[in-house]
Amino acid sequence: MNSERNRVTISDVAKASGVSNSAVSYALNGKAGVSSDTRQQVLAVAQRMGWRPNSAAKALSDAATHSVGMILTYAMSVLSVESYTTELMAGLTAELERKGYSLLIRSSSSHEYELTVLQEWIASGAVDAVLVLNVELNDPRISLLQSQHRIPALALCNPMFSQGLPSLSSNESDAAHLIIDYLHELGHTRIARVAGPERLGHTFIRDNAFMEEAAALGLQYSCLHADYSPEDGLRCTKRLLSLPHAPTAIVYDNDVMALSALKASNDMGIAVPEALSIVSWDDSFMCEVSVPSITALNRNVVGTGRLAAQLILQLIEGKDVDSVSETDNELVFRESSGPVHK
Amino acid sequence: MNSERNRVTISDVAKASGVSNSAVSYALNGKAGVSSDTRQQVLAVAQRMGWRPNSAAKALSDAATHSVGMILTYAMSVLSVESYTTELMAGLTAELERKGYSLLIRSSSSHEYELTVLQEWIASGAVDAVLVLNVELNDPRISLLQSQHRIPALALCNPMFSQGLPSLSSNESDAAHLIIDYLHELGHTRIARVAGPERLGHTFIRDNAFMEEAAALGLQYSCLHADYSPEDGLRCTKRLLSLPHAPTAIVYDNDVMALSALKASNDMGIAVPEALSIVSWDDSFMCEVSVPSITALNRNVVGTGRLAAQLILQLIEGKDVDSVSETDNELVFRESSGPVHK
DNA sequence: TTGTAGGCGTTATCAG
DNA sequence: CTGATAACGCCTACAA
């Protein structure tokens, strides 16, 4: 199976330099054990021959692959529409790059299969660490990762779901308060929310925060759970707007659903923001450019990716990492929201 | 540096089964050389002990990493808005998954750095193959990959730019004809196009196709080149619409710019589609849900990703792969385009 | 300061 | 059919 071409190895460099194998290794790794002259000599030769360490050999020797694993487990239909993942990856890869790490991606169509991949990674050492996305309540991935100590893992979720695993979360309840207080100040008394899947950890947090704050302010609050897809967003919106006492403001857990809400209200002849205020939990280009533009929570997902990468690199170095919470929520006011007209 | 935990190796299994090292290897790999009894025995023990092949060792031995490399080299601002990359990755990873391959991602902020990463991959054997995106005219990446034979590569571009490297392209000129003929039938005589960066290979192809077809039909055709960003889309649209003989139809090379065109025409009080028809080269959720919805070319990017993965896997197997061209272009008619009003 | 030897975990060769 | 043994390329004691 070994039909490889002329790859330059350390032995080749050693031979060409007329020194031993280990001398070359020391020289190339900047370690003591060789004279300055020899080192210069070896470096020059290695450079000339175009030597680079073979990644597999290095991985075997170091027991480290210099890659971080991540599994994409979205339904195809939702994935193609998600900007969150792209932005996260941009931040992740940019930061990992600085230390010469790569992101190793696998995709999976089911949760069971994702567990299989994780188990394989744990057993095979294919990655040095793992990032877990979209954590659910009693997520078996968390249990699995928490029960082993071969591969460190960072969970992108509230620490209450990470079972002691280091986690990075955005302050969802802070954001919820920000949004609901804003709507309250505008005079809305009947508000609704089209949330993400109920089993998701961050949906749980948001649900709680919304219910609490709504109750505290004496608001009428109703919530439907959807799957983040435009179709589901449309369906939920129409259902809410058909209620006898329809809400005057609806909050959407992602931008895609918020956008289809615009379509829905347009279809039903309901004016935005005069008769209905719309707020999206995710900001994106789509919110900016839609007509009307959509008031949205800005979350700097790229920054989250960068931070996640930093934490993961610390974990790989063996450092202890506490659960971190980001609180850079900011509401961007646009045309889709306004005071209640009665 | 070897502070690893109790990973189960083949030797462990051998010891536990009371057979030799190689017997275990044969048994586990389903190869001849062991009795059926021994094989069953070994498999049972391996299963019980949770043995999985160590990926680094396997990579070293096989000289194959079972991963395919891809470099993201978008400007951050554009990347976060691109749905193309996400969809492509969805198709890629889904198909690679079936053969147990992973996608190895690195990101780069400059073309020079991307070359460095490629060189590193070639020399280190960190990936079994490479996918090259966004090929430009006289792209140094193509030259680099074409000048070596260690790592096969697939270029996502028209074969005229791949210098003999296997390539996968969508039939851009077919698509151009589709769009321009459609607009011609609607009675448009002054059409414009806001294209992608001029140095990109597929922009070149589209430019040529558009110029040819416009000339053939006797249409007035003008073209501005932008960077795919909403800002640039806005700028170019306003510039075109301010011309003395403004176009009555504008084609945009991506969905993002088409959407900002909607904003631009709205700002300038130009009715779509009555006074201006808009067509987007990329279809996406945004085109569906915008008001008005945008006529767009549907390209099945996920399918392209799948096909690319299949071709790459063939290359890895050592098969010859011809340049492939996809022709599944389909124009989805929506509200943003219509007959000329005079 | 240098070179030799052994290990990382696997697969493949070649005797028995 | 089995079991040593070498090889993959790198790192690192350890000995010279």
Side-chain angles (χ1 to χ4, degrees), chain B residues 10 25-26 31 51 54 61:
Chain B
I10 248 180
S25 178
Y26 286 138
K31 298 209 169 175
W51 177 88
N54 176 288
S61 185

Short mmCIF file of all heavy atoms in Angstrom, two decimals, chain B residues 10 25-26 31 51 54 61, chain C residues 8-14:
data_model
loop_
_atom_site.label_atom_id
_atom_site.label_comp_id
_atom_site.label_asym_id
_atom_site.label_seq_id
_atom_site.Cartn_x
_atom_site.Cartn_y
_atom_site.Cartn_z
N ILE B 10 -3.08 -2.98 19.62
CA ILE B 10 -3.17 -4.32 19.05
C ILE B 10 -2.41 -5.32 19.92
O ILE B 10 -2.82 -6.48 20.06
CB ILE B 10 -2.62 -4.28 17.60
CG1 ILE B 10 -3.79 -4.53 16.64
CG2 ILE B 10 -1.50 -5.25 17.40
CD1 ILE B 10 -3.38 -4.52 15.19
N SER B 25 -3.84 -8.48 13.88
CA SER B 25 -3.98 -7.54 12.78
C SER B 25 -4.77 -8.16 11.63
O SER B 25 -5.68 -7.56 11.08
CB SER B 25 -2.61 -7.10 12.30
OG SER B 25 -2.72 -6.22 11.20
N TYR B 26 -4.41 -9.38 11.28
CA TYR B 26 -5.13 -10.07 10.20
C TYR B 26 -6.59 -10.25 10.55
O TYR B 26 -7.48 -9.99 9.73
CB TYR B 26 -4.49 -11.44 9.95
CG TYR B 26 -3.16 -11.35 9.24
CD1 TYR B 26 -2.09 -12.14 9.62
CD2 TYR B 26 -2.99 -10.47 8.19
CE1 TYR B 26 -0.87 -12.06 8.97
CE2 TYR B 26 -1.77 -10.38 7.53
CZ TYR B 26 -0.71 -11.18 7.93
OH TYR B 26 0.48 -11.10 7.28
N LYS B 31 -8.42 -10.18 6.90
CA LYS B 31 -7.54 -10.76 5.89
C LYS B 31 -7.27 -12.23 6.18
O LYS B 31 -7.40 -12.69 7.31
CB LYS B 31 -6.21 -9.99 5.86
CG LYS B 31 -6.38 -8.55 5.47
CD LYS B 31 -5.14 -8.02 4.77
CE LYS B 31 -5.48 -6.65 4.17
NZ LYS B 31 -4.31 -6.00 3.58
N TRP B 51 -11.14 -1.94 21.38
CA TRP B 51 -10.03 -1.55 20.51
C TRP B 51 -10.51 -0.84 19.24
O TRP B 51 -11.50 -1.21 18.64
CB TRP B 51 -9.22 -2.78 20.10
CG TRP B 51 -8.11 -2.45 19.14
CD1 TRP B 51 -6.85 -2.08 19.46
CD2 TRP B 51 -8.18 -2.46 17.72
NE1 TRP B 51 -6.12 -1.85 18.32
CE2 TRP B 51 -6.92 -2.07 17.23
CE3 TRP B 51 -9.20 -2.75 16.80
CZ2 TRP B 51 -6.63 -1.97 15.88
CZ3 TRP B 51 -8.93 -2.64 15.44
CH2 TRP B 51 -7.64 -2.26 15.00
N ASN B 54 -5.46 3.06 16.03
CA ASN B 54 -4.93 4.40 16.28
C ASN B 54 -4.72 5.10 14.94
O ASN B 54 -4.01 4.59 14.07
CB ASN B 54 -3.62 4.30 17.04
CG ASN B 54 -2.99 5.65 17.22
OD1 ASN B 54 -2.49 6.23 16.27
ND2 ASN B 54 -3.03 6.17 18.43
N SER B 61 1.53 4.09 8.78
CA SER B 61 1.73 2.82 8.11
C SER B 61 1.16 2.82 6.69
O SER B 61 1.79 2.32 5.76
CB SER B 61 1.06 1.72 8.93
OG SER B 61 1.31 0.46 8.39
P DC C 8 5.79 1.83 23.39
OP1 DC C 8 5.20 1.89 24.74
OP2 DC C 8 5.89 0.55 22.66
"O5'" DC C 8 4.98 2.81 22.45
"C5'" DC C 8 4.79 4.18 22.76
"C4'" DC C 8 4.31 4.89 21.52
"O4'" DC C 8 5.42 5.05 20.62
"C3'" DC C 8 3.31 4.06 20.70
"O3'" DC C 8 1.99 4.37 21.14
"C2'" DC C 8 3.53 4.56 19.27
"C1'" DC C 8 4.94 5.17 19.31
N1 DC C 8 5.94 4.52 18.40
C2 DC C 8 6.61 5.29 17.46
O2 DC C 8 6.36 6.50 17.39
N3 DC C 8 7.52 4.70 16.65
C4 DC C 8 7.76 3.39 16.76
N4 DC C 8 8.67 2.85 15.94
C5 DC C 8 7.09 2.59 17.72
C6 DC C 8 6.19 3.19 18.51
P DG C 9 1.02 3.21 21.62
OP1 DG C 9 -0.14 3.81 22.31
OP2 DG C 9 1.80 2.16 22.29
"O5'" DG C 9 0.50 2.61 20.23
"C5'" DG C 9 -0.39 3.37 19.44
"C4'" DG C 9 -0.54 2.72 18.10
"O4'" DG C 9 0.74 2.64 17.45
"C3'" DG C 9 -1.10 1.30 18.13
"O3'" DG C 9 -2.19 1.27 17.24
"C2'" DG C 9 0.07 0.44 17.67
"C1'" DG C 9 0.84 1.41 16.79
N9 DG C 9 2.26 1.14 16.67
C8 DG C 9 3.13 0.70 17.65
N7 DG C 9 4.36 0.57 17.23
C5 DG C 9 4.32 0.95 15.90
C6 DG C 9 5.35 1.02 14.93
O6 DG C 9 6.54 0.76 15.07
N1 DG C 9 4.88 1.46 13.71
C2 DG C 9 3.56 1.80 13.45
N2 DG C 9 3.29 2.20 12.22
N3 DG C 9 2.59 1.74 14.34
C4 DG C 9 3.03 1.31 15.54
P DT C 10 -3.04 -0.05 16.99
OP1 DT C 10 -4.44 0.35 17.09
OP2 DT C 10 -2.52 -1.15 17.84
"O5'" DT C 10 -2.71 -0.40 15.48
"C5'" DT C 10 -2.74 0.60 14.54
"C4'" DT C 10 -2.01 0.31 13.26
"O4'" DT C 10 -0.59 0.34 13.49
"C3'" DT C 10 -2.28 -1.05 12.61
"O3'" DT C 10 -3.13 -0.87 11.48
"C2'" DT C 10 -0.93 -1.54 12.15
"C1'" DT C 10 0.04 -0.45 12.55
N1 DT C 10 1.27 -0.99 13.19
C2 DT C 10 2.42 -1.05 12.48
O2 DT C 10 2.51 -0.68 11.32
N3 DT C 10 3.49 -1.56 13.16
C4 DT C 10 3.52 -2.01 14.46
O4 DT C 10 4.53 -2.45 14.96
C5 DT C 10 2.26 -1.93 15.15
C7 DT C 10 2.16 -2.38 16.57
C6 DT C 10 1.20 -1.42 14.50
P DT C 11 -3.74 -2.14 10.76
OP1 DT C 11 -5.15 -1.84 10.58
OP2 DT C 11 -3.31 -3.35 11.51
"O5'" DT C 11 -3.03 -2.28 9.35
"C5'" DT C 11 -2.25 -1.25 8.77
"C4'" DT C 11 -1.10 -1.85 7.98
"O4'" DT C 11 0.03 -2.09 8.87
"C3'" DT C 11 -1.36 -3.17 7.27
"O3'" DT C 11 -0.98 -2.99 5.92
"C2'" DT C 11 -0.46 -4.18 7.99
"C1'" DT C 11 0.65 -3.29 8.51
N1 DT C 11 1.36 -3.75 9.72
C2 DT C 11 2.74 -3.84 9.70
O2 DT C 11 3.40 -3.57 8.72
N3 DT C 11 3.31 -4.26 10.88
C4 DT C 11 2.66 -4.59 12.05
O4 DT C 11 3.27 -4.94 13.04
C5 DT C 11 1.22 -4.47 12.01
C7 DT C 11 0.43 -4.78 13.22
C6 DT C 11 0.64 -4.06 10.86
P DA C 12 -1.11 -4.12 4.82
OP1 DA C 12 -1.43 -3.44 3.56
OP2 DA C 12 -2.01 -5.17 5.34
"O5'" DA C 12 0.36 -4.72 4.72
"C5'" DA C 12 1.44 -3.86 4.37
"C4'" DA C 12 2.72 -4.67 4.22
"O4'" DA C 12 3.20 -5.04 5.54
"C3'" DA C 12 2.55 -5.98 3.46
"O3'" DA C 12 3.72 -6.21 2.68
"C2'" DA C 12 2.41 -7.02 4.56
"C1'" DA C 12 3.32 -6.44 5.64
N9 DA C 12 2.95 -6.81 7.00
C8 DA C 12 1.71 -6.84 7.54
N7 DA C 12 1.67 -7.22 8.80
C5 DA C 12 3.02 -7.44 9.10
C6 DA C 12 3.66 -7.84 10.28
N6 DA C 12 3.02 -8.12 11.42
N1 DA C 12 5.00 -7.98 10.24
C2 DA C 12 5.64 -7.70 9.11
N3 DA C 12 5.14 -7.30 7.93
C4 DA C 12 3.81 -7.19 8.01
P DT C 13 3.73 -7.43 1.64
OP1 DT C 13 3.85 -6.81 0.32
OP2 DT C 13 2.62 -8.37 1.94
"O5'" DT C 13 5.10 -8.16 2.00
"C5'" DT C 13 6.22 -7.38 2.44
"C4'" DT C 13 7.23 -8.26 3.15
"O4'" DT C 13 6.80 -8.50 4.52
"C3'" DT C 13 7.42 -9.65 2.52
"O3'" DT C 13 8.81 -9.92 2.42
"C2'" DT C 13 6.73 -10.60 3.48
"C1'" DT C 13 6.95 -9.88 4.81
N1 DT C 13 5.97 -10.20 5.88
C2 DT C 13 6.41 -10.57 7.12
O2 DT C 13 7.59 -10.67 7.40
N3 DT C 13 5.42 -10.83 8.03
C4 DT C 13 4.05 -10.77 7.82
O4 DT C 13 3.27 -11.02 8.71
C5 DT C 13 3.65 -10.37 6.50
C7 DT C 13 2.20 -10.27 6.16
C6 DT C 13 4.61 -10.11 5.59
P DC C 14 9.28 -11.05 1.40
OP1 DC C 14 10.37 -10.47 0.60
OP2 DC C 14 8.11 -11.67 0.74
"O5'" DC C 14 9.88 -12.10 2.43
"C5'" DC C 14 10.57 -11.67 3.61
"C4'" DC C 14 10.54 -12.77 4.64
"O4'" DC C 14 9.30 -12.71 5.39
"C3'" DC C 14 10.62 -14.17 4.03
"O3'" DC C 14 11.64 -14.91 4.64
"C2'" DC C 14 9.23 -14.75 4.29
"C1'" DC C 14 8.86 -14.03 5.59
N1 DC C 14 7.40 -14.03 5.87
C2 DC C 14 6.96 -14.18 7.19
O2 DC C 14 7.79 -14.31 8.10
N3 DC C 14 5.62 -14.17 7.44
C4 DC C 14 4.76 -14.03 6.43
N4 DC C 14 3.45 -14.02 6.72
C5 DC C 14 5.19 -13.88 5.08
C6 DC C 14 6.51 -13.88 4.84
#
